[in-house]
Amino acid sequence: MTFYYDIANKPMIIGGRYGLGSKELYPGRSSCCVDNLAAAEPKNGFTVGIIDDVTGHSLPTTKTLDTTPKGTTSCKFWGLGSDGTVGANKSAIKIIGDNTDMYAQGYFAYDSKKSGGITISHLRFGHTPIRAPYLINFADYVAVHNTSYVRKYDVTAGLKDGGTFLLNCPWDEKELEKELPGQLRRYLAEHKINFYTLDAVKIAEGIGLGGRINMIMQAAFFKLTGIIPVEDAVKYLKGAIEHSYGKKGQKVLDMNYAAVDQGIGAIKKVEVPAAWAQAKDEELHPKTGNQWVDEILTPMNMQEGDKLPISKLMGQADGTFPSGTAAYEKRGIAIDVPEWQISKCIQCNQCAMVCPHAAIRPILATEDEVAKAPKGFEAKDATGAKGLKFRMAVSPLDCSGCGNCADICPVKALEMKKLETQMPLQEVWDYAVNKVTPKDNPMNKNTVKGSQFEQPLLEFSGACAGCGETPYAKLVTQLFGDRMMIANATGCSSIWGASAPAMPYTKNHKGHGPSWANSLFEDNAEYGLGMFLGVEQSRERLADKIKAVIADGKVSAELKAAMEDWLANMLMAKALVLALKSWKLC
Ligand code: SF4
Ligand code: SF4
């Protein structure tokens, strides 16, 4: 969607769109159509944009042209949904639009996650009207507000020679050498980029703003771009703070004023070593061996979905997506993740129960499995499961850092620690969920503790950190998930439940799990009824066939008994629904 605003008689475009990992709705200005006209044998009837290697009608993208007027400053911001980046950029547009005679344009692209997803803000400022209804292909300024993005996205793509790159990170120059992938370091060196860092997370935590780094990064943006004199920017920013937070009291005002001052003062210039120009590419997205993940999910998650040719998506022509693919995302968006204190834990499983992302789970392992586990797999004797060991496993890369688990723990056996400190335990999690064999539930699964020994068949969803809805949906999958069919209405649950390309509903070791489909608009009751009637029809058709086979008399006594048993019980599910209805329970 794109919304047009006109503030102070200056044309502005403020847009937002929901995409499926696509980077460019409009490919900018490409010369492919002109090149086609000039070709010896131009295509008569063609498409532009998506690579159509099935019909062969699409034109190849040739040279991308920068058609923005001279003097336009183009800025791109890579933010994390809910860190305030988009709001701050809207505020920057307003400050510049209201207080100068410059033209301003903003366009905001989001992925389909709830908060915690990626946001990319495209801002242009200039003294001549901006007529550029497409994303920024050539940027003067790029800011990366989340440290993990340097290994996930091509964040410097299109950053102009001599442009400015600001990275929010805690790294000093030696650590940057290690943490930045080779291709990024090489780009900075080859294109003579002015490189700056700022530890906005540390500043925000010190001030008491938690994860809200927006004001700090916005102040840095004004300082580094010089679009308006920094003293004026500070004055306007503080005015905007008063306008937005004035009713929240002096303490909140002071915290945000401090964010502006410290954002400007804490920027560090990094001298890019000449040797970085020789840095080698690093493998950022190692192959998983799962073809769908490697060829479709990974490019879409890298914001490269528009580059997928149609032939790759032919398998999805019927609209189906494989389940369980959210497990491959490993987003690493948490700032703090829980550390399990084995000596304090009383094995109540409440932490696993409340986790919205199924990122903390009780594991029951044999002595042998513990002995073969990677370093850090500490376990204690399981209460109520003789002969087994108990460990509360945490996935640092799937945790969203909400702290629900630590809050609920009755004995404070979970301590929130910086993500980096817990990363060595990712291997422990991988072993716990992939290599430790699933055990029969030693408890009553209809209890809090017992339910958590069942595998959650909803995991690592695109829900906000601390979501109050997904723990219940997850619990339903633990109780009934291997036989569930879900007719999802459109709303929050359809977004976290199918943040394409990743699917958080998954399967157990027997290959059983929920099937899920989404009906647009609020008609999922009828939609679900249709699914129910469809299943009923299929079942009755099968019953007719079984009756015919039995009547034929050519089956063994054992198979005949099994068939008769199935016929006698085939309506159990329907009978249950009717019973629940008669008791007014559904
Ligand atoms: S911090 Fe939140 S997401 Fe992470 S394990 Fe705890 S409850 Fe789950
Ligand atoms: S809530 Fe605390 S005591 Fe209970 S299982 Fe989790 S870590 Fe252990």
Side-chain angles (χ1 to χ4, degrees):
M1 314 175 254
T2 300
F3 307 99
Y4 293 88
Y5 286 87
D6 190 318
I7 297 180
N9 295 320
K10 298 181 191 72
M12 304 178 79
I13 303 172
I14 297 184
R17 61 178 266 266
Y18 299 96
L20 302 182
S22 56
K23 190 173 184 178
E24 294 183 349
L25 185 58
Y26 306 101
R29 299 286 163 93
S30 164
S31 59
C32 62
C33 297
V34 179
D35 292 346
N36 183 52
L37 287 177
E41 288 184 39
K43 279 189 181 173
N44 184 10
F46 55 80
T47 59
V48 291
I50 292 167
I51 303 163
D52 185 352
D53 58 347
V54 175
T55 68
H57 285 320
S58 61
L59 295 181
T61 303
T62 47
K63 195 176 167 200
T64 304
L65 308 172
D66 186 5
T67 55
T68 46
K70 208 160 178 268
T72 304
T73 305
S74 301
C75 312
K76 213 164 148 183
F77 302 79
W78 296 76
L80 183 80
S82 83
D83 72 356
T85 297
V86 169
N89 287 329
K90 287 180 180 170
S91 160
I93 292 171
K94 191 158 166 34
I95 285 174
I96 293 171
D98 284 351
N99 297 292
T100 73
D101 61 357
M102 294 174 79
Y103 293 85
Q105 180 199 55
Y107 189 91
F108 303 93
Y110 316 114
D111 69 5
S112 58
K113 299 280 189 294
K114 302 298 291 184
S115 65
I118 187 170
T119 67
I120 310 173
S121 308
H122 299 255
L123 270 56
R124 291 184 176 100
F125 305 98
H127 290 281
T128 46
I130 299 163
R131 296 197 177 88
Y134 48 87
L135 304 184
I136 288 174
N137 295 302
F138 302 96
D140 299 280
Y141 175 88
V142 168
V144 175
H145 291 196
N146 188 283
T147 312
S148 70
Y149 289 179
V150 295
R151 288 191 169 266
K152 282 190 188 162
Y153 308 112
D154 187 3
V155 288
T156 47
L159 181 56
K160 293 178 189 171
D161 289 357
T164 301
F165 181 61
L166 172 65
L167 176 63
N168 167 32
C169 70
W171 302 320
D172 60 23
E173 299 199 2
K174 208 165 145 207
E175 289 165 325
L176 284 168
E177 179 89 34
K178 188 170 123 247
E179 301 291 349
L180 298 186
Q183 47 270 56
L184 176 53
R185 282 182 280 133
R186 193 172 68 242
Y187 192 97
L188 297 176
E190 284 180 344
H191 295 267
K192 305 205 176 342
I193 302 299
N194 294 298
F195 179 25
Y196 299 88
T197 59
L198 176 62
D199 192 351
V201 172
K202 188 172 169 199
I203 295 172
E205 281 178 351
I207 296 171
L209 284 171
R212 305 284 295 180
I213 59 168
N214 55 335
M215 203 53 77
I216 299 159
M217 297 304 287
Q218 194 183 0
F221 156 73
F222 277 113
K223 163 91 175 169
L224 291 176
T225 56
I227 290 174
I228 54 177
V230 70
E231 308 75 43
D232 292 348
V234 169
K235 189 174 74 188
Y236 300 141
L237 277 171
K238 291 189 175 173
I241 288 168
E242 200 168 335
H243 179 73
S244 303
Y245 305 115
K247 289 191 185 136
K248 297 199 171 168
Q250 194 58 42
K251 193 173 163 213
V252 174
L253 287 176
D254 288 342
M255 285 195 295
N256 282 283
Y257 293 155
V260 171
D261 295 333
Q262 293 191 33
I264 286 173
I267 301 167
K268 282 188 205 147
K269 173 98 170 89
V270 180
E271 294 308 330
V272 175
W276 283 12
Q278 269 72 52
K280 298 271 178 291
D281 281 1
E282 290 174 33
E283 177 61 91
L284 301 182
H285 305 278
K287 294 273 182 271
T288 65
N290 178 322
Q291 192 186 6
W292 193 90
V293 169
D294 293 336
E295 294 186 356
I296 299 177
L297 180 134
T298 301
M300 285 174 82
N301 271 346
M302 289 165 63
Q303 302 293 303
E304 305 278 352
D306 277 353
K307 292 182 186 164
L308 286 176
I310 288 178
S311 61
K312 292 270 181 227
L313 295 158
M314 292 299 279
Q316 273 61 54
D318 63 353
T320 57
F321 268 56
S323 64
T325 51
Y328 291 92
E329 289 200 297
K330 299 284 173 269
R331 297 159 69 203
I333 57 169
I335 293 172
D336 298 315
V337 302
E339 183 185 75
W340 184 51
Q341 317 283 321
I342 185 169
S343 59
K344 292 186 190 165
C345 179
I346 56 168
Q347 305 183 30
C348 67
N349 287 356
Q350 290 184 51
C351 50
M353 177 89 168
V354 300
C355 177
H357 290 85
I360 181 167
R361 297 184 198 173
I363 302 296
L364 293 172
T366 61
E367 296 266 9
D368 188 43
E369 286 168 333
V370 174
K372 289 181 182 150
K375 194 165 162 253
F377 191 107
E378 290 179 357
K380 64 201 296 186
D381 290 342
T383 313
K386 212 159 167 243
L388 291 176
K389 295 283 182 185
F390 174 96
R391 172 176 179 81
M392 190 52 74
V394 176
S395 175
L397 287 176
D398 292 306
C399 169
S400 64
C402 67
N404 283 6
C405 53
D407 287 345
I408 199 79
C409 179
V411 292
K412 301 291 163 233
L414 293 167
E415 209 175 307
M416 298 303 284
K417 295 271 181 75
K418 288 276 164 270
L419 172 64
E420 308 77 73
T421 66
Q422 301 303 301
M423 280 306 295
L425 292 178
Q426 188 65 43
E427 203 190 339
V428 167
W429 166 273
D430 293 341
Y431 176 81
V433 296
N434 297 322
K435 295 278 175 351
V436 174
T437 51
K439 310 287 182 300
D440 286 341
N441 195 334
M443 307 270 158
N444 175 357
K445 79 171 186 179
N446 297 318
T447 62
V448 168
K449 180 167 177 176
S451 66
Q452 297 312 302
F453 286 123
E454 297 291 324
Q455 182 185 345
L457 298 172
L458 170 67
E459 59 182 11
F460 324 133
S461 74
C464 303
C467 175
E469 187 172 42
T470 46
Y472 293 102
K474 182 189 69 175
L475 180 60
V476 174
T477 70
Q478 287 170 304
L479 299 179
F480 313 109
D482 54 348
R483 300 175 60 83
M484 263 169 91
M485 292 177 72
I486 303 168
N488 211 136
T490 294
C492 214
S493 58
S494 69
I495 307 304
W496 56 248
S499 309
M503 171 52 78
Y505 288 101
T506 191
K507 297 178 279 201
N508 61 20
H509 63 286
K510 293 181 189 157
H512 299 162
S515 57
W516 182 99
N518 172 220
S519 148
L520 193 59
F521 311 119
E522 295 304 326
D523 62 349
N524 74 312
E526 294 85 346
Y527 186 63
L529 177 64
M531 288 164 71
F532 177 78
L533 293 175
V535 170
E536 195 174 46
Q537 287 295 317
S538 301
R539 192 183 286 137
E540 279 172 8
R541 191 157 161 255
L542 180 59
D544 286 345
K545 291 195 169 181
I546 287 180
K547 282 177 196 161
V549 171
I550 293 172
D552 203 29
K554 290 184 186 158
V555 288
S556 67
E558 191 186 5
L559 182 54
K560 184 172 175 238
M563 287 174 156
E564 284 172 345
D565 183 52
W566 185 84
L567 283 173
N569 293 294
M570 64 175 255
L571 296 177
M572 282 297 284
K574 189 176 176 185
L576 180 63
V577 170
L578 293 174
L580 291 171
K581 273 191 177 153
S582 69
W583 299 330
K584 299 203 183 330
L585 290 176
C586 83

